[in-house]
Amino acid sequence: MKDIWDYAIEVQSELNEICKPLEEGNIKFAYDRIFTDYSVITLVNYDRNWLEFCKTIRSDAFNNHKANRLYLSEVLSTPIGKLNHFLWPTILLDGNDSMLIDKFNVANGISFFQKKHDIIECWSFVMDCTHEQGDLFLLDNMNFLKQFILYFNHHSKSLVETLITSKISLPKLPKELVLSIINQKRQPQAITRDIQIQKYSINITENNRINLTKREVECLQNLALGKSIKEIADILDISDRTVEVYLNNIKIKSGYNHRSQLVSMYLKSDINILK
């Protein structure tokens, strides 16, 4: 009988096409839907390490890994309607979870989740171990990730419907596990990070302003100083690829296509910190 991982491989072309907007940042993605009977369907964009990581860590119905218990603790206790997020606490992981991170090259991640009356939906975005400060990169791009969630929901309807009608799902979450998580005394400050990303407003024209993150401004400032991508990466202690992603974000926000235009915009602008 076909299982959920066979289905992920079967629809890899269609799912990877939906996930193309994530390729620029080399972001891996997974979608989960938990039903009232605690059955779970999942879609994973196809990357061998990422697929095997998801398959391994979700074996035995989420029961063996600290990471999954923390994840479920956040998901099951979220109030109805609100879109919450949970930054993967890799610093807290040890034992099997730490070994999995090393084995499958999966490290920093963030999950968004929303509870409705009959389902809980979860959207997870993950970086690999080679991405320096991947958690900050994801947090800097929260608005983009939220926009992708809307995009994914619209374009994945047929894939999700096939999973539901075909009853292709993971084993149900054990009721005793769910109850123990719901009833435990939670200490959310120990497993979540409510980080406020400082935003900066910069004018493109007299009547047109855009908002940039601190990292985007730092990249722009160094670009205006004549620094190369490699030099900016060394100064900020991030990868060349990450610098390019930040500069591409600024291009999208400003509507400019060339770095010389970004430099000109910066030199003519004033920058305000948004409260």
Side-chain angles (χ1 to χ4, degrees), residues 23 26 29 48 58-59 77 81 84 90 102 112 114 120 164 188 195 203 212 227 240 244 264:
E23 288 181 1
N26 195 27
F29 173 75
R48 176 58 65 182
R58 294 176 181 190
S59 62
S77 61
N84 286 324
T90 51
D102 294 337
F112 295 84
Q114 186 172 39
I120 303 174
I164 295 172
I195 299 178
N203 58 298
L212 302 179
K227 304 295 184 183
D240 296 7
E244 291 173 351
S264 177

Side-chain angles (χ1 to χ4, degrees), residues 58 145 177:
R58 294 176 181 190
L145 299 181
L177 170 65

Side-chain angles (χ1 to χ4, degrees), residues 90-103:
T90 51
I91 193 171
L92 295 178
L93 303 186
D94 50 26
N96 289 338
D97 293 315
S98 179
M99 290 169 58
L100 285 170
I101 288 171
D102 294 337
K103 182 177 180 180

Side-chain angles (χ1 to χ4, degrees), residues 205-218:
T205 64
E206 184 176 347
N207 299 314
N208 187 13
R209 302 187 71 88
I210 59 173
N211 296 336
L212 302 179
T213 67
K214 182 175 183 289
R215 275 297 195 207
E216 289 167 351
V217 169
E218 289 172 339

Side-chain angles (χ1 to χ4, degrees), residues 12-26:
Q12 63 174 287
S13 296
E14 189 173 351
L15 189 55
N16 285 351
E17 183 66 28
I18 295 173
C19 293
K20 263 195 172 179
L22 302 178
E23 288 181 1
E24 184 73 25
N26 195 27

